[in-house]
Amino acid sequence: MVLDQSNLASEYVKDILAWIKNKESKVAKLQLLSPQLDSRRQLVDWSCEVADKLNLTTQTVHLAVKLLDHFMDGHDIEDPQLFLVCLGCLQLAAKMNEKETNIPRGCKIVALLPKPLSLSSFLSLEFVMLNFFQWDICMPTSCYLTELLLPLSIHLNDWQHGRPIANFRTAKEELHVAVKEMLDIGLQEESMMLVVPSLMASSILQASRLVCGMFPGWTDQLESMTGYTRDQLEQITDSLVSLHKLHGEEVLCPVDEGYHSNISVGCSPEK
């Protein structure tokens, strides 16, 4: 009997999504009471710049920001220590997502701080953070789910700008660029902090398809795979599209340069 590989892959993705939805339902909700909330965007931008220097992936950065949001939510951190906490989050996220050879050494991390700090102090912070998270830092992120669903987000029979796609490679590259920009928006915006990763990832894909002029905006396959309908995604999707128009290319590009995306735009099959 010949197995349908696409069906097997779909079932695999469905299993992962089911596990992640269960996991995200158990993650403590942010209270948004951190005194450092006004500094969040600056900290996110700085974390992206550091991640670029360390050659870390997008998924690592998104997990680091997720850890940062939750750690700040439970602590009143003095301003000089905020950058140290950012580095601690990046280090923990790297240990979860990076290859062993790409996990930055503590001495290299400490050297990136605006002010000198001993390695022992940094290691102590890492232990404090692990205790705070009860040693469970495997937190779902919208980035992981977006990249998981990305291969299913464009098809040869899609329409673009009111007609069948003329060049599949170009359309796919355009969509991937839009997804990167939407991921940046979702990472930066405080208004998106409370959106669960599965809903955020689905909204990012729908918003990306819409800004690229693809029809339908949300396919039946994606709805079946994620369990989210167009109506459930409408509010977040509309916000993302509006923010995308507001930000524009000149604002999004500097953030995107702050880390390395796992989304490739150079390997798209040509129609």
Side-chain angles (χ1 to χ4, degrees):
M1 182 177 69
V2 178
L3 296 176
D4 189 333
Q5 296 297 323
S6 62
N7 286 338
L8 286 175
S10 296
E11 289 303 315
Y12 182 63
V13 172
K14 278 187 175 181
D15 288 343
I16 295 175
L17 281 169
W19 181 87
I20 286 178
K21 283 188 175 183
N22 179 63
K23 179 74 174 178
E24 68 187 11
S25 68
K26 298 177 181 178
V27 175
K29 292 184 179 180
L30 293 171
Q31 302 301 311
L32 302 182
L33 298 176
S34 170
Q36 294 78 35
L37 199 56
D38 290 341
S39 303
R40 182 182 182 274
R41 180 164 296 205
Q42 177 190 3
L43 297 173
V44 170
D45 290 346
W46 188 79
S47 296
C48 290
E49 292 172 6
V50 171
D52 181 51
K53 294 176 182 177
L54 297 173
N55 199 34
L56 301 178
T57 63
T58 317
Q59 288 191 23
T60 294
V61 174
H62 277 253
L63 178 57
V65 172
K66 177 77 72 175
L67 296 174
L68 175 66
D69 286 339
H70 283 268
F71 192 76
M72 287 201 308
D73 208 47
H75 296 83
D76 184 359
I77 308 168
E78 296 182 4
D79 286 347
Q81 304 300 318
L82 287 173
F83 296 105
L84 174 61
V85 172
C86 287
L87 289 182
C89 292
L90 281 171
Q91 177 77 327
L92 291 177
K95 290 181 177 180
M96 292 295 297
N97 289 328
E98 301 290 335
K99 296 179 180 179
E100 185 176 355
T101 55
N102 201 45
I103 297 174
R105 300 183 63 178
C107 57
K108 188 175 182 179
I109 286 271
V110 172
L112 296 172
L113 281 170
K115 294 183 179 180
L117 181 78
S118 67
L119 179 58
S120 60
S121 297
F122 178 73
L123 295 176
S124 296
L125 170 68
E126 189 175 5
F127 186 72
V128 168
M129 297 181 73
L130 284 170
N131 280 332
F132 173 78
F133 290 108
Q134 297 181 338
W135 294 76
D136 182 8
I137 55 174
C138 183
M139 302 178 74
T141 67
S142 57
C143 179
Y144 173 79
L145 283 168
T146 299
E147 294 186 2
L148 180 70
L149 292 168
L150 192 59
L152 307 174
S153 63
I154 184 170
H155 303 279
L156 289 169
N157 58 351
D158 283 337
W159 282 46
Q160 187 176 26
H161 305 305
R163 60 178 65 89
I165 293 176
N167 187 309
F168 190 75
R169 176 190 292 272
T170 301
K172 191 171 184 178
E173 290 178 354
E174 183 181 345
L175 178 66
H176 285 192
V177 170
V179 168
K180 286 183 181 182
E181 294 172 350
M182 294 296 179
L183 281 169
D184 285 340
I185 292 171
L187 189 68
Q188 285 182 318
E189 291 295 325
E190 291 87 351
S191 60
M192 301 294 178
M193 290 171 62
L194 296 179
V195 182
V196 295
S198 58
L199 177 59
M200 189 68 194
S202 300
S203 299
I204 284 172
L205 291 175
Q206 185 182 42
S208 300
R209 285 178 60 86
L210 288 173
V211 300
C212 290
M214 292 183 178
F215 180 84
W218 190 239
T219 66
D220 291 339
Q221 183 186 25
L222 285 170
E223 180 175 325
S224 173
M225 190 69 62
T226 63
Y228 287 115
T229 65
R230 294 175 181 83
D231 291 341
Q232 290 174 307
L233 301 177
E234 183 177 5
Q235 182 178 356
I236 305 301
T237 298
D238 287 349
S239 296
L240 286 169
V241 172
S242 297
L243 287 166
H244 184 267
K245 292 178 181 178
L246 181 65
H247 282 232
E249 295 283 342
E250 66 278 6
V251 177
L252 289 171
C253 285
V255 180
D256 193 50
E257 291 171 358
Y259 54 88
H260 298 273
S261 175
N262 301 332
I263 301 172
S264 171
V265 296
C267 303
S268 307
E270 219 173 338
K271 184 175 178 180

